[in-house]
């Protein structure tokens, strides 16, 4: 329960169920307590409004040597890889990482979390999506902030992302070269720059390769497994089904695959699937998922390196760091089946097309 006056160290220790010495070591970022215990005590300190004694830190240069990572969820491979990359990079630089996550993906961190981050860390890596107002509030105080991905609006803080547009164009070109003309797209969370870039790449590829342009082929997926399942169910209800699907991330692709397999459809014989991310499980599926690899761990490391420069007072040379992507061709894609190829009249068994298929 939050107190009007700042609680004492003894009160904090009692609330955390630890000794006063352990509580002191935790809040003054000294060795002698486990990372898990330290994180628990620091969160409780923020909730109670405890103000740490920084004398020990000032004696060693006035720095906490602690970086914050804010992520909505840690139970997916993408976020886990990002955080792991950040933790390893921080350790090399002699820093520890305080990780804060929210189970409720629709909520935003409260004021206590903001106080926690400002009091105990030197800077923050925010793994989006988060409402812009929260990150903006931290950045406006001069607190060093860097995001993984970026929002719609122009940001006043730097970000790290991957080449989503180039990766998505490579995915679409791969499907087009296999003879697919009716290609569906399962979108991501379009609050984010990465999702918008992948959508733009899909639209551009449809025009460049003369593919079917049908609004019904674009279905919302929101970067989630459930979103991928729902989108695939809607696509299967179309009178003219697609012969291939490009999902904005691997989780959406996994959801789409579960629906196809549940409907007794074969991958890639009946429908080809491409994802984006190349999380570890993508290569372990049967069939293994063709996907666009983005350097997820490297993104976490790049964020830490940039943040440490900001903490040191250096100017950010590149406000937006974009790392390369690479298409990984596996078993979930194949040439379009014969009964879907375009006839001499320019129409396919799967529905109308805007062009003739290529000679092979």
């Amino acid at each position: 329960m939050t107190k009007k006056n700042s609680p004492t160290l003894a009160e904090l220790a009692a609330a955390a169920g630890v000794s006063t010495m352990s509580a002191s070591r935790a809040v003054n970022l000294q060795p002698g307590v486990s990372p898990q215990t330290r994180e628990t005590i620091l969160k409780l300190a923020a909730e109670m409004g405890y103000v740490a004694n920084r004398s020990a830190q000032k004696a060693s240069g006035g720095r906490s040597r602690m970086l914050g990572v804010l992520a909505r969820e840690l139970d997916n491979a993408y976020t886990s890889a990002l955080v792991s990359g950040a933790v390893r990079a921080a350790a090399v630089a002699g820093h520890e990482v305080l990780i804060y996550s929210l189970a409720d993906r629709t909520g935003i961190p409260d004021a206590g979390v903001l106080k926690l981050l400002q009091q105990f860390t030197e800077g923050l890596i925010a793994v989006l999506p988060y409402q812009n107002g929260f990150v903006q509030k931290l950045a406006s105080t001069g607190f060093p902030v860097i995001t993984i991905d970026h929002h719609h609006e122009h940001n006043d803080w730097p970000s790290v992302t991957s080449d989503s547009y180039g990766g998505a164009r490579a995915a679409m070109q791969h499907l087009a070269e296999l003879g697919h003309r009716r290609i569906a797209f399962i979108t991501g969370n379009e609050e984010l720059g990465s999702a918008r870039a992948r959508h733009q790449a899909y639209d551009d590829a449809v025009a460049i390769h003369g593919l079917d342009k049908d609004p019904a082929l674009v279905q919302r997926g929101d970067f989630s497994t459930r979103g991928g399942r729902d989108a695939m169910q809607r696509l299967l209800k179309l009178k003219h089904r697609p012969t291939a699907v490009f999902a904005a991330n691997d989780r959406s692709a996994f959801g789409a695959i579960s629906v196809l397999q549940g409907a007794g459809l074969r991958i890639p014989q009946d429908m080809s699937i491409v994802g984006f991310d190349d999380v570890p499980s993508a290569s372990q599926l049967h069939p293994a998922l063709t996907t666009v690899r983005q350097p997820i761990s490297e993104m976490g490391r790049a964020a830490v390196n940039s943040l440490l420069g900001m903490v040191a007072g250096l100017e950010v040379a590149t406000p937006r760091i974009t790392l390369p992507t690479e298409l990984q061709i596996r078993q979930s894609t194949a040439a379009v089946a014969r009964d879907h190829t375009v006839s001499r009249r320019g129409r396919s068994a799967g529905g109308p097309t805007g062009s003739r298929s290529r000679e092979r």
Side-chain angles (χ1 to χ4, degrees):
M1 188 172 180
T2 304
K3 298 176 180 289
K4 291 183 179 179
N5 299 320
S6 177
T8 65
L9 182 63
E11 289 172 325
L12 173 62
V18 300
S19 68
T20 303
M21 181 171 290
S22 292
S24 176
R25 287 171 175 168
V27 298
N28 288 296
L29 307 175
Q30 295 174 336
V33 293
S34 69
Q36 294 82 1
T37 299
R38 177 182 289 113
E39 184 171 345
T40 298
I41 294 172
L42 292 180
K43 287 182 179 180
L44 184 59
E47 293 169 0
M48 295 176 65
Y50 175 79
V51 178
N53 183 344
R54 292 298 181 214
S55 58
Q57 293 178 25
K58 290 178 181 178
S60 62
R63 296 180 59 187
S64 71
R65 304 196 72 81
M66 177 80 75
L67 302 178
V69 173
L70 186 66
R72 277 211 180 280
E73 51 190 353
L74 300 176
D75 60 348
N76 68 74
Y78 172 80
T79 306
S80 295
L82 276 174
V83 172
S84 294
V87 169
R88 288 194 294 270
V92 169
H95 283 63
E96 293 188 68
V97 174
L98 174 64
I99 302 168
Y100 190 94
S101 65
L102 283 178
D104 179 10
R105 296 187 67 215
T106 62
I108 60 172
D110 59 27
V113 177
L114 188 147
K115 184 186 296 183
L116 167 75
L117 295 167
Q118 289 180 310
Q119 184 175 353
F120 293 107
T121 71
E122 296 182 329
L124 174 70
I125 298 169
V127 183
L128 298 179
Y130 267 105
Q131 290 191 16
N132 251 2
F134 179 78
V135 179
Q136 179 68 50
K137 190 171 183 180
L138 276 175
S140 66
T141 66
F143 189 73
V145 174
I146 187 166
T147 60
I148 303 292
D149 213 335
H150 55 93
H151 274 294
H152 273 299
E153 297 84 356
H154 171 71
N155 292 343
D156 294 325
W157 54 86
S159 65
V160 176
T161 188
S162 68
D163 182 11
S164 285
Y165 181 86
R169 280 293 305 274
M172 289 295 292
Q173 180 174 336
H174 170 62
L175 292 173
E177 289 177 345
L178 289 173
H180 294 280
R181 289 293 172 268
R182 192 163 177 79
I183 304 172
F185 178 56
I186 298 177
T187 71
N189 180 347
E190 299 209 353
E191 290 182 6
L192 302 179
S194 60
R196 299 194 305 278
R198 294 168 203 178
H199 195 160
Q200 184 62 57
Y202 170 84
D203 289 342
D204 290 349
V206 167
I208 291 169
H209 296 289
L211 309 178
D212 281 17
K213 185 176 181 180
D214 183 351
L217 291 174
V218 178
Q219 297 289 336
R220 181 178 177 180
D222 199 34
F223 281 152
S224 67
T225 304
R226 180 176 178 177
R229 286 197 301 265
D230 293 345
M232 192 70 250
Q233 287 170 347
R234 292 191 293 270
L235 289 169
L236 289 183
K237 292 177 181 177
L238 296 179
K239 181 178 180 181
H240 301 301
R241 292 177 177 176
T243 63
V245 175
F246 171 41
N249 72 338
D250 287 349
R251 294 177 73 189
S252 298
F254 297 158
I257 287 170
S258 69
V259 170
L260 290 173
Q261 292 176 336
L265 296 174
R266 301 165 301 164
I267 302 167
Q269 294 91 335
D270 297 319
M271 195 172 296
S272 288
I273 302 286
V274 179
F276 201 112
D277 282 341
D278 196 25
V279 298
S281 55
S283 61
Q284 299 165 10
L285 291 179
H286 182 70
L289 181 66
T290 293
T291 186
V292 177
R293 175 182 294 168
Q294 58 175 335
I296 305 173
S297 294
E298 287 82 354
M299 289 163 65
R301 289 198 288 269
V304 166
N305 293 335
S306 293
L307 184 60
L308 289 174
M310 295 167 64
V311 169
L314 302 177
E315 288 289 332
V316 178
T318 306
R320 187 164 296 167
I321 300 170
T322 303
L323 300 183
T325 54
E326 182 181 3
L327 180 66
Q328 303 297 306
I329 300 175
R330 300 192 178 109
Q331 289 76 51
S332 68
T333 51
V336 67
R338 279 192 171 187
D339 58 349
H340 288 297
T341 55
V342 180
S343 70
R344 293 178 181 176
R345 292 183 298 170
R347 302 184 67 84
S348 71
T353 69
S355 67
R356 298 176 182 271
S357 63
R358 296 180 181 178
E359 292 293 330
R360 297 200 177 274

